[in-house]
Structure formats: structure tokens, C-alpha cells
Amino acid sequence: MASFVADVHLAKLAKLLRLLGFDTLYFTHIEDEELLKISEDEGRWILTKDRALCKRAKQCLLIQAKKPKEQLKEVLEAFKLTRCNPFTRCLVDNALLESVPKEEVLAKIPPKVAQWCEEFERCPECGRIYWKGSHYDRMKRFIDGVCG
Ligand SMILES: [Zn+2]
């Protein structure tokens, strides 16, 4: 499966790709040289709106759209990505989430959530806890729309 490294101006696109489970690196500050190096070393596709940068890369997709959701569609279509693994990666750092027993997260989640939610995931990198909260349904509809 294709993996990506997104240019600095594509933060929202990177988040959406992670939401769908696609391996996507993103750095708030990074030089072109470093992007090119990561792309070559790890075989990642650069996602960028910078035509000049794209020309220098071995693997690059030039993003045209302005809106993140449109940009996401460009990526999915370009790589024919029809199978997603949504809610499997940390949106902050791209790490794969691990399921964690409720007892272990009780102290870190809102009491209201503890009342109804039984399944939790934790990021091994940043410790962030994920659960299928109120935004889940909305995201799920969006994901079903783009991934089928
Ligand atoms: Zn994380």
C-alpha cells in the first residue's frame, strides 16, 4: 500500500488520510530537502501543491484542489485507494492505535463517556485516548462517502 509524506501546507489532508488509516507523515516545519530525503529513504509519495518540489521528487502527487476533502479525493483516486482502515491511526502523530481496557483509561476520560462507552484505543506514541464519541457518526458518514 502507498504511504505518504505531506508537505507543510497540507495539514488537514494529512489528518484526513490518517483518519482513513493511511500511513501519512506530516511535519509542521520541514525543508524541501528533508521531504525529498524521507520520500526516497522510506519510499513515500510526497503530497504537495508545490510544482517545483514535485518535479524534483521521484514519487510525488501534485495536489490541485483547495479544500481538504477534495484533496483527499484526488489522493484516493490517484492511488485507487478504495479500502480504508478508518480509526486505526493517531491523528496527531500517525502511530497505529492499540486497544486498551476501560479500567486503564478511566482516569483520563470524561465521566459521561465512561457511562456509555466500552471500547477505547490508545496511541502508543502520545498516549492520546480515542473512543467512538459524538463526532464518530459524522465522520463515519463522511468516510462511507469517500471509501464506499
Ligand atoms: Zn498519538
Side-chain angles (χ1 to χ4, degrees), residues 23-37:
D23 184 356
T24 309
L25 294 184
Y26 173 80
F27 306 92
T28 326
H29 301 286
I30 188 167
E31 300 293 327
D32 286 359
E33 297 305 324
E34 189 65 18
L35 269 177
L36 290 163
K37 186 172 181 337

Side-chain angles (χ1 to χ4, degrees), residues 89-95 97 122-128 130:
R89 281 182 190 276
C90 180
L91 300 184
V92 180
D93 52 38
N94 195 46
L97 301 177
R122 185 167 55 198
C123 171
E125 292 294 321
C126 69
R128 207 181 142 120
Y130 289 85

